[in-house]
Amino acid sequence: MTNPKKRRNPKIIASTLAFMLGKDEGRFFKIRPDEVEALKENFRFRRMVVVFGGSHTKNIGDMIQELAALPLKVIATQSRHPKAATPEMIAEEVASRGVPVEQVGDVASALEQARLVTRAGDLMLVTGSLFVVAEAREVVKGIPPEY
């Protein structure tokens, strides 16, 4: 018997939710407060389960900071891209902001773990790098991966 509190097919949003700040601000990616507000205004959710992966060349802490204000659980993962940050690197940044985090080695497995922990009323967000979003799209749509 399945647990009625678990959602088998949660709503998934896949977006980089980030923009590059100008040269004066160090040229790093950051999730803007208005993007987080748009999520809250357009989607009802009890908690957000975030599959997050980014590049080791970006400031991951700044990327996750705005999301940290939401009820959140993060699944830290790594894309196939050679500049991808490890799940351990991401988890350290996320945990330092007081957000519950798990580490999963690849995007497909991270999506599966996110599905397992997502309950009714939760929203799943795949974000961070465009590479993580693209790999999640491959998994969801059954597209063969590029190597």
Side-chain angles (χ1 to χ4, degrees):
M1 187 164 108
T2 61
N3 183 340
K5 292 185 178 181
K6 296 273 183 171
R7 284 184 69 181
R8 290 210 171 269
N9 296 306
K11 183 174 292 222
I12 301 172
I13 300 172
S15 173
T16 57
L17 286 182
F19 73 108
M20 187 179 288
L21 296 174
K23 213 174 208 171
D24 297 339
E25 299 180 42
R27 303 212 32 100
F28 58 89
F29 286 86
K30 184 174 182 177
I31 296 171
R32 299 184 316 222
D34 62 308
E35 292 169 322
V36 174
E37 284 303 314
L39 284 171
K40 292 193 298 190
E41 288 174 12
N42 291 290
F43 299 96
R44 289 185 178 189
F45 57 92
R46 180 184 66 82
R47 173 183 71 158
M48 192 176 306
V49 177
V50 179
V51 175
F52 187 92
S55 170
H56 68 78
T57 62
K58 305 293 182 235
N59 189 325
I60 291 167
D62 284 334
M63 292 176 74
I64 202 79
Q65 184 62 42
E66 292 299 327
L67 287 175
L70 297 172
L72 199 62
K73 176 175 182 76
V74 173
I75 311 293
T77 193
Q78 181 173 2
S79 74
R80 297 184 300 264
H81 193 278
K83 289 186 178 180
T86 65
E88 295 80 13
M89 292 167 65
I90 294 165
E92 184 177 324
E93 288 290 338
V94 172
S96 74
R97 283 152 176 79
V99 175
V101 61
E102 292 182 41
Q103 300 171 37
V104 179
D106 62 87
V107 174
S109 299
L111 282 173
E112 184 56 32
Q113 181 60 21
R115 282 188 180 112
L116 290 173
V117 302
T118 300
R119 297 186 296 270
D122 289 352
L123 179 68
M124 189 187 308
L125 172 68
V126 180
T127 193
S129 80
L130 186 57
F131 299 105
V132 168
V133 171
E135 286 183 37
R137 189 172 184 275
E138 288 174 351
V139 172
V140 171
K141 294 198 164 268
I143 300 168
E146 295 178 6
Y147 290 100

